[in-house]
Structures are given as C-alpha cells and as structure tokens.
Amino acid sequence: MPATAQSPSLVDTVSRRIITLARNHTSDRLPTERDMAARFGVSRSVVREAAKRLELQGLLEIRQGSGMKIVDKLHKPLSSAVHLLVPDEKKRLVQLTEVRLALEPENARHAAERATATELRKLKAAHDRLKNCQDFETQVLADMEFHCLIAEASGNKIGALLMQSLSDLLQTSLSHGYRLVTKDQAVEDHARILDAILLRRADEAATAMKTHLLHARDDLGLKKTLSNR
Amino acid sequence: MPATAQSPSLVDTVSRRIITLARNHTSDRLPTERDMAARFGVSRSVVREAAKRLELQGLLEIRQGSGMKIVDKLHKPLSSAVHLLVPDEKKRLVQLTEVRLALEPENARHAAERATATELRKLKAAHDRLKNCQDFETQVLADMEFHCLIAEASGNKIGALLMQSLSDLLQTSLSHGYRLVTKDQAVEDHARILDAILLRRADEAATAMKTHLLHARDDLGLKKTLSNR
DNA sequence: TAGTGGTAATTGGTCAGACCAATTGGAATG
DNA sequence: CATTCCAATTGGTCTGACCAATTACCACTA
C-alpha cells in the first residue's frame, strides 16, 4: 500500500495487526490506543497512525472520548475521492447518473441470474419499505437500498462496492436540494425490475433498470448530459 | 470527511491548507513537516497526520529523508479498497472483468460522441505504442493506457477514475502471472474501437469494446464468471 | 576532468510524557 | 425512578528527543 519501502514500516505492521484483532474480536469495540500500544510494544503515535489509516479505509470509526468501533464501509474512500475529484454537485450528479446507467443494468441482469432466495427476500422487503414510506428521507434511503441490494445480489463484490459509494454520494446530493419528484414512478419501475429478477429474466431486468434510471435522470433534470464539458 | 464532529479538527483544517498550498505551489515538492508546522502554527504531529491522510487519498507521495511530492492519483484509495475487499487474485480478476464489461462499452460510446481533437491524437499515439511494443510489460502498459484514455475522452471524470483504478488493479494481477496471450488480437480489437471513435460511430465503438473485452476475458481464462459463488 | 565513495545535513519515522477536549458511567439528588 | 453533575476514561494535540532513509557536497582517484 503506501510507502513502498523495502521493509514494512511499523505503521504497516500495526495496521495489519489491528485488522487481525478486529476480525477476531467479539465486540465491535477495539482496545484503546494506549492498550494497543502496550500490547504491540510500540508508541502510541504508531498505533494512532495505523488506526487513522484504517479509519480512512472505512474499517474503523474513531470518536474522541469514546474509542474505536469496527465497521465495514470499504466504499468510503471512493466516496471521498469522487468528492475531491468533482466538487461541483450538479456535475457530480450528472456523471454519477451516467456511471449508473452503465453499471446498474448489468447489476440487475446478474441479479436475475444469480440471486439467492435470501437475497430475493431482502429485495422484496426493501421494495415494500419503499412502497410504504411517508417522507422524503426515508424514500431516498429505501430507493438506494433497493439498488444496493441488487448490486449485492449480482454476486460481484466490486460492483457492490461501487454501488454503495454511488449510493452514498447520491444521498448527499439528494439531501442538498436535488429532489426526487415522483415516488409513484419509482415504485412502478422498481416493481418491474423486481418482477424480472424474481422470474429470472436477465434481459428484462437489465432493460427495466435502464428505463428506471432514465426516468430518474429526467426527474432530476439531468437530460443534458455533459454537453457543456 | 472523517470524524463528523461539529467543529473541524486541527487535522481537518491543516489537510485543507496543505491542499491549497499544493495547488498554488510551483514545484511538485511541498515544504517539510517542520516548516509547515511552523507556518500553520500547529505541532508536527498534526501536520504529519494531515499529510498521511492526503497520502492515503492519493494526493501526496511521502518518502523518509526525501520529503513530500504532490501527485494526482485519486484512484489509489479505490484500488486499496478493492484489494482489501477481494484479496483473492483470481476472484478479483473475474469481478474486475465483469465490471469492465459494464463500464467500458459506455466509455467508448461516449468517447465517440465527445472526444476532443487532442484526445483523439492521444488515442492514436497510444494505439501506435501498443502496435510497436516489444515486451510484455510495455504491452500491458500501452493496453491499459489506451483504455484509460478512452475513459478520459468520455468526459466523465468519475468513470475515468474508476478506469484508472481498474487499470492499476489489472496491472498488478497481470504482473502476478496472469498473462495476456494474444497481442495481435488486442491490436486488431483496439484498431476497431479507435476507428469507430474517430468516425464518431458511438454504437459501433461500444460494440467493438464489448467484443474486445470478451476476447480479453477468454484469453485470461475467465469464461466461467462467478458460477462458484 | 569525470566518476566514485564517504560523510554530514536534512527529512521523515518513532518514542515518551504531558496536557487539552469529548464522551461515558456512576453517584447523588429530587 | 429520572435527571443532573462530576470524575474517569479515551482520543486530540503539543514538545522535544532520538532513530532511519535520502540527498547533497566534498575529497580522492583514475
């Protein structure tokens, strides 16, 4: 990873040991910086640097006065990178939508081919949550969750990671004034996608997803894609 | 970004100031930790933590005894995350190929619609480099560069970031024993893609890219995609 | 004069201890 | 039992010292 020196630095070594500790830990709470420093026989600054690295990688959440929590958010670094890369929210939304139009029909196709029974159940539950939601925040969450579950059901972990990051970024944009207008259209579109997946019709699932994303794009007023680049 | 506390931490603030400094700096070398600590009126450990954060984000390269170099490698965090997510090289390659099959035909389509004259020149030059290369390492680099240039020419920065990361990961896998077998096929495929882009035939470009990726997949022996999940 | 080797200065990596800021748990009070 | 307050705990920052890697400069040799 960083600092391609010949021998691993102490921070490299301690990062790896913290990951191992996290994987074998029964609680979702890690020992304190001071404890780990004593345990690993290094200074607190090394532990601190290693922990901060893991935080940035989406594996830990660190709070002053509270300690370190083990999490699984490997998509966070990508979300940060995209934010840095395209700071303008409108441009970012345009480009995110375009990437989604490439990725998500294939996610739906693969989900139709590969989803497990458990995954199908989760998809149905997520669809119900969208149908039943009353406020905008919950609508956005349920909508994005449906998409992330499809990515997971595709069986491609990398695709699922990308989708989680896209979802995070979209949620940020949507909470900043970009509004989904028509929940009814989304519910109808999702139902079509879900039916195609349940019936294992891969092509139909891909087409239904593309149609849905085009609707969503239109709803967000993003029809003119990248013409002013 | 991290530590969603109400007021920005010193490390947050100093990270931003380093970014500003990097953007206005004539040299690609930043001042030393000690210099920046004095300049920003903070301790060296705060500068260090801020710099390490920027390193992980792909904005700096730090070397002991040598100092800090400003770089632009925003794709690096994603590469690391994917590595952590899918440690198994074969599985990773399978999934990367699948993601490429989703993303890259659309990259080619958009490149055909949007590439500038400069970008087209770069694509031609990259194609020539692939045709003329003699050894495997150079072949891989030229091949991946062609793909990254298409992603850039698509005008979608997020897509280009994803492609750079995928390219990094692929180069790692290919240097670990996964061999591209038929350069002639790649050259022929690339020529078709390039022609379609030059002639602004978006659909043809997308189809040619998909064909190329299917050839590459077959060459790598990845036909059986995710059937053992 | 050009090339090589050695050394000192510089710069990042680590250590230790102190103090500050945020959180949490326990005790006291109503 | 519920609420408030305070002390202990835990991460954030500071300081100064020392260690490890790199680079620039100087001296020597061919």
Side-chain angles (χ1 to χ4, degrees):
Chain A
M1 297 211 258
T4 57
Q6 42 273 40
S7 69
S9 67
L10 277 186
V11 175
D12 292 333
T13 303
V14 168
S15 291
R16 272 189 282 268
R17 292 186 69 175
I18 295 177
I19 290 179
T20 301
L21 192 59
R23 287 198 171 139
N24 299 329
H25 216 51
T26 52
S27 153
D28 72 341
R29 289 276 153 179
L30 278 178
T32 65
E33 286 181 355
R34 290 172 178 95
D35 284 351
M36 287 194 279
R39 183 183 300 197
F40 299 148
V42 297
S43 77
R44 200 179 133 206
S45 64
V46 170
V47 171
R48 186 170 179 72
E49 216 170 291
K52 290 295 189 173
R53 184 189 289 183
L54 295 178
E55 184 185 35
L56 267 179
Q57 290 178 330
L59 295 173
L60 297 184
E61 278 175 358
I62 301 172
R63 284 219 146 202
Q64 179 175 1
S66 181
M68 304 184 195
K69 183 179 173 189
I70 303 159
V71 297
D72 182 3
K73 298 187 177 181
L74 282 173
H75 66 277
K76 299 209 70 178
L78 175 57
S79 306
S80 303
V82 171
H83 228 279
L84 284 171
L85 183 65
V86 189
D88 182 79
E89 193 133 62
K90 176 71 185 287
K91 282 182 183 157
R92 193 164 66 240
L93 201 46
V94 167
Q95 296 187 27
L96 284 177
T97 301
E98 203 169 84
V99 170
R100 291 182 73 195
L101 273 162
L103 278 178
E104 290 202 60
E106 294 306 302
N107 287 346
R109 181 194 304 281
H110 293 136
E113 292 165 351
R114 301 171 186 157
T116 64
T118 302
E119 278 160 348
L120 294 176
R121 266 195 298 274
K122 282 185 185 171
L123 271 175
K124 277 190 278 190
H127 184 56
D128 288 343
R129 279 197 292 280
L130 178 63
K131 282 196 298 187
N132 297 331
C133 69
Q134 309 287 6
D135 64 294
F136 183 65
E137 309 301 334
T138 316
Q139 181 188 339
V140 170
L141 285 174
D143 194 302
M144 287 297 108
E145 194 193 8
F146 184 74
H147 287 265
C148 289
L149 286 171
I150 289 174
E152 278 178 43
S154 78
N156 188 311
K157 289 179 187 234
I158 299 172
L161 175 78
L162 297 183
M163 191 63 228
Q164 266 177 307
S165 177
L166 297 181
S167 169
D168 258 11
L169 289 158
L170 277 166
Q171 279 170 61
T172 304
S173 293
L174 296 180
S175 69
H176 284 184
Y178 284 92
R179 315 243 99 195
L180 270 181
V181 175
T182 52
K183 172 189 154 183
D184 289 345
Q185 182 71 68
V187 169
E188 187 179 322
D189 287 346
H190 280 201
R192 283 216 176 85
I193 295 164
L194 182 57
D195 283 345
I197 289 171
L198 291 175
L199 293 170
R200 307 289 182 176
R201 295 179 177 158
D203 284 346
E204 274 180 41
T207 301
M209 177 60 86
K210 185 162 183 182
T211 300
H212 169 52
L213 293 173
L214 291 169
H215 287 154
R217 187 188 63 178
D218 295 345
D219 278 357
L220 291 172
L222 303 173
K223 191 70 172 287
K224 224 30 181 196
T225 57
L226 294 175
S227 54
N228 53 336
R229 80 178 266 252
Chain B
M1 297 215 262
T4 57
Q6 42 276 45
S7 68
S9 67
L10 277 186
V11 174
D12 291 334
T13 303
V14 169
S15 291
R16 271 188 283 269
R17 292 185 70 173
I18 295 177
I19 290 178
T20 302
L21 191 59
R23 289 205 169 132
N24 299 330
H25 218 52
T26 53
S27 154
D28 71 343
R29 289 275 152 178
L30 278 178
T32 65
E33 288 182 353
R34 290 173 177 93
D35 284 350
M36 287 194 280
R39 185 184 297 197
F40 299 148
V42 297
S43 76
R44 202 177 133 206
S45 63
V46 172
V47 171
R48 186 171 179 72
E49 216 170 290
K52 290 296 191 174
R53 182 187 291 183
L54 296 178
E55 184 184 35
L56 267 180
Q57 290 178 332
L59 295 174
L60 296 187
E61 278 175 358
I62 300 172
R63 285 227 140 188
Q64 181 175 358
S66 180
M68 304 184 194
K69 183 175 170 189
I70 303 160
V71 297
D72 180 4
K73 299 187 174 179
L74 281 172
H75 66 277
K76 299 210 68 176
L78 175 58
S79 304
S80 302
V82 172
H83 229 279
L84 285 171
L85 183 65
V86 189
D88 181 78
E89 195 134 59
K90 175 73 184 288
K91 283 185 181 153
R92 194 164 66 241
L93 200 48
V94 168
Q95 296 186 28
L96 283 177
T97 300
E98 203 169 83
V99 170
R100 290 182 75 195
L101 273 162
L103 279 177
E104 291 202 58
E106 293 308 300
N107 287 347
R109 180 194 305 285
H110 292 137
E113 292 165 350
R114 299 172 188 158
T116 64
T118 302
E119 279 160 347
L120 293 177
R121 268 195 297 273
K122 283 186 187 169
L123 270 176
K124 278 191 276 188
H127 185 56
D128 287 343
R129 278 196 292 278
L130 178 63
K131 282 196 298 187
N132 295 333
C133 68
Q134 309 284 6
D135 63 294
F136 182 65
E137 308 300 333
T138 316
Q139 182 188 339
V140 171
L141 285 174
D143 193 303
M144 286 296 107
E145 193 192 10
F146 184 75
H147 289 265
C148 289
L149 285 170
I150 289 174
E152 277 177 45
S154 78
N156 188 310
K157 289 179 187 237
I158 299 172
L161 176 78
L162 298 182
M163 191 62 231
Q164 268 177 308
S165 178
L166 297 181
S167 169
D168 258 11
L169 290 159
L170 276 166
Q171 280 171 62
T172 304
S173 293
L174 296 180
S175 70
H176 283 188
Y178 285 91
R179 314 242 101 195
L180 270 182
V181 177
T182 52
K183 170 189 157 184
D184 290 345
Q185 181 73 66
V187 169
E188 188 179 321
D189 288 346
H190 281 201
R192 282 218 176 83
I193 295 164
L194 181 57
D195 283 345
I197 289 170
L198 290 176
L199 293 169
R200 307 289 181 177
R201 293 179 176 158
D203 284 346
E204 275 180 40
T207 301
M209 177 60 87
K210 186 164 181 181
T211 300
H212 168 53
L213 292 174
L214 291 169
H215 286 156
R217 188 189 63 177
D218 295 346
D219 278 358
L220 291 172
L222 304 171
K223 191 71 171 283
K224 224 33 178 184
T225 58
L226 294 177
S227 54
N228 52 335
R229 80 177 264 249

